[in-house]
Amino acid sequence: LRVDFGAKRGARSEEEAQALAGGARSTGYVMAFGSDDQLRLVTGGPETERDLTVDTHTLFHRIKGDWTYRKGALTSVFTPYVGYDGTSFSFGAAKQDGVGYTVGAREVLGLELSSNLTVRTGLDLVYEHQSFDVEFPAPENFEYVAFPGAGSVGELLVEHIGLGSFDGALFVEADLKVGKFIFTPGVRANYQRAGDARNVALDPRLWVAFNATERTQLKGSLGLYSQPGETFRFISLPYGNPDLAYQRAFQSSLGVDHRLSDVFNVDVTGFFNRRFSNIVSPGQLISLPGGSVFQVPYSNDGIGRALGVEVMVKKQRASATDKWSGWLSYTFSKSLDGRAGPIPEGSGGFGPTGDDTAYGLSPFDQTHILTLVSTYVLGNGWELGGRFRYTTGRPTTPLNHTFDQYQ
């Protein structure tokens, strides 16, 4: 559901709309969306050792707004949002119910200082709180006898776990035109606070475009990017690891954009990224006070890399009478994951060593991705749109041994 405000009201351009509004103009929208998914698996009967039920329930709701203010060379875009997430999982005697609340905002200020220089700066803020109610059978050796003469009964552990996290970032970038070149340098400073964790990261970036002809543009980019781990991963031991850091990545791209006509445009872009400090599970073995050893559930030992090429053809509306627009894209890519440190025993890692030979296909690797999106203008403010997407499957490891009854 979306409601827009600040329409041009008959103006043929943004400049004309500002003039009609007295030199300043506000536009924006409020949008609400969500999802609710449930799954239940039940098995039973004389051929099974016992009846088994698995229930999962996942839902989310979001409210997002956008307020864009323009006055002369100044543009301000303010985007607040709130969210609610719920998860529920049960497997036999084990149960877990989770609730998450999110509130955040993004502000971007842009100022056109001249025809050759535009500066933008902004702020990203997000706070999230997650809580979980957990019930699960105690591990081995955690049993008690209900009363004298009775059989031992597995103890059921019940816990309530909660944690809040904050992530903020300040960024600045500029568009500088020099002849046929457009340089866009930028830097982003990140700060995260989750439980006892305090993380900072600085990400410099650069985009370059070269207008080879009136219809052809060459472009490239490189830079560092940071992503915080999910809040629940910072829960104290033994459920999480409060010492986690930012996940980092170096990303680069090189491509060409060519306008075939006033309606059709084709874009070909190759990309390469190298990820490091990714959060993986299980984590490494650590020594606890007293000399005991414990394996943390998560650690920043993940590495990865991906490369590929994307071809996209776009079709724009040629005039008010042209009803069709859309785009068709094809992506060929390969994504690999691994571990930078020693691989914990029994972790199912990607190799026997901790160097670059420890790579294997990422669980999210999809070699071929084909996407078609199209929109048709019905009139009176109505549009009809559709999307088709085809992807090759993610990597799987099939069972293949004498105990596999599904061979």
Side-chain angles (χ1 to χ4, degrees):
L1 176 65
R2 172 169 166 161
V3 178
D4 292 75
F5 62 89
K8 294 181 180 180
R9 298 182 182 276
R12 290 170 293 181
S13 66
E14 181 60 38
E15 291 76 11
E16 183 178 348
Q18 288 191 36
L20 293 175
R25 193 167 107 85
S26 293
T27 60
Y29 63 84
V30 177
M31 178 171 60
F33 58 97
S35 175
D36 192 319
D37 300 297
Q38 299 185 48
L39 174 66
R40 186 175 193 187
L41 302 177
V42 180
T43 178
E47 297 182 358
T48 61
E49 295 183 358
R50 59 176 179 174
D51 294 340
L52 184 65
T53 302
V54 178
D55 287 293
T56 64
H57 185 193
T58 304
L59 62 91
F60 74 88
H61 301 290
R62 298 287 186 272
I63 299 178
K64 176 179 177 290
D66 182 283
W67 174 45
T68 300
Y69 174 81
R70 299 180 180 89
K71 184 175 182 179
L74 176 68
T75 300
S76 171
V77 181
F78 178 63
T79 308
Y81 56 91
V82 295
Y84 170 80
D85 296 82
T87 61
S88 178
F89 173 80
S90 65
F91 179 75
K95 298 180 181 179
Q96 175 180 298
D97 296 313
V99 174
Y101 299 92
T102 304
V103 57
R106 176 181 175 92
E107 167 66 26
V108 180
L109 287 173
L111 181 62
E112 185 177 351
L113 299 177
S114 70
S115 59
N116 294 323
L117 179 61
T118 300
V119 178
R120 290 181 298 275
T121 185
L123 188 67
D124 281 319
L125 300 173
V126 59
Y127 175 80
E128 182 179 57
H129 186 274
Q130 294 183 346
S131 61
F132 300 90
D133 291 300
V134 182
E135 297 182 11
F136 60 93
E140 294 182 4
N141 302 323
F142 281 82
E143 296 184 340
Y144 66 93
V145 177
F147 56 88
S152 62
V153 179
E155 184 179 358
L156 189 66
L157 300 183
V158 180
E159 291 202 48
H160 177 79
I161 307 170
L163 185 69
S165 69
F166 167 82
D167 189 74
L170 177 66
F171 62 90
V172 60
E173 60 187 34
D175 295 330
L176 176 62
K177 298 179 181 179
V178 181
K180 294 186 177 182
F181 285 92
I182 303 175
F183 298 94
T184 306
V187 64
R188 179 183 175 96
N190 307 275
Y191 173 76
Q192 181 193 31
R193 179 172 180 173
D196 295 330
R198 306 290 187 273
N199 297 317
V200 294
L202 191 66
D203 299 330
R205 302 163 186 176
L206 176 65
W207 297 266
V208 179
F210 175 72
N211 296 315
T213 67
E214 292 184 357
R215 292 180 174 269
T216 304
Q217 183 184 74
L218 306 178
K219 56 184 180 178
S221 67
L222 54 85
L224 292 177
Y225 293 80
S226 301
Q227 179 177 326
E230 295 93 332
T231 299
F232 72 88
R233 300 185 189 274
F234 290 86
I235 294 174
S236 59
L237 297 174
Y239 305 105
N241 182 359
D243 296 325
L244 294 174
Y246 273 110
Q247 304 175 101
R248 309 295 303 279
F250 166 79
Q251 299 189 17
S252 62
S253 67
L254 186 64
V256 57
D257 190 316
H258 181 69
R259 186 157 44 95
L260 299 174
S261 65
D262 294 337
V263 176
F264 288 98
N265 186 85
V266 60
D267 184 296
V268 180
T269 302
F271 58 87
F272 170 81
N273 70 58
R274 189 176 183 95
R275 305 180 297 277
F276 54 98
S277 297
N278 283 2
I279 297 176
V280 293
S281 178
Q284 296 298 332
L285 297 173
I286 62 173
S287 298
L288 300 177
S292 59
V293 177
F294 177 78
Q295 186 175 46
V296 294
Y298 310 105
S299 64
N300 287 101
D301 292 310
I303 56 176
R305 59 190 179 196
L307 71 162
V309 62
E310 180 185 60
V311 180
M312 176 180 290
V313 179
K314 296 181 181 179
K315 193 270 182 184
Q316 299 176 335
R317 295 176 58 194
S319 63
T321 59
D322 187 359
K323 305 295 185 180
W324 288 101
S325 64
W327 50 267
L328 173 68
S329 73
Y330 166 74
T331 303
F332 174 83
S333 65
K334 186 174 183 179
S335 180
L336 304 173
D337 281 341
R339 299 184 74 109
I343 298 174
E345 183 178 354
S347 68
F350 297 102
T353 65
D355 56 25
D356 286 355
T357 63
Y359 279 106
L361 283 177
S362 167
F364 302 99
D365 176 74
Q366 292 179 320
T367 305
H368 305 282
I369 303 175
L370 180 67
T371 306
L372 173 63
V373 176
S374 183
T375 302
Y376 183 79
V377 178
L378 299 175
N380 297 322
W382 290 91
E383 294 184 358
L384 178 66
R387 175 189 294 265
F388 171 81
R389 180 180 173 91
Y390 171 81
T391 66
T392 53
R394 294 176 178 175
T396 60
T397 303
L399 295 173
N400 187 17
H401 52 76
T402 56
F403 300 101
D404 178 17
Q405 62 177 324
Y406 301 107
Q407 287 190 91

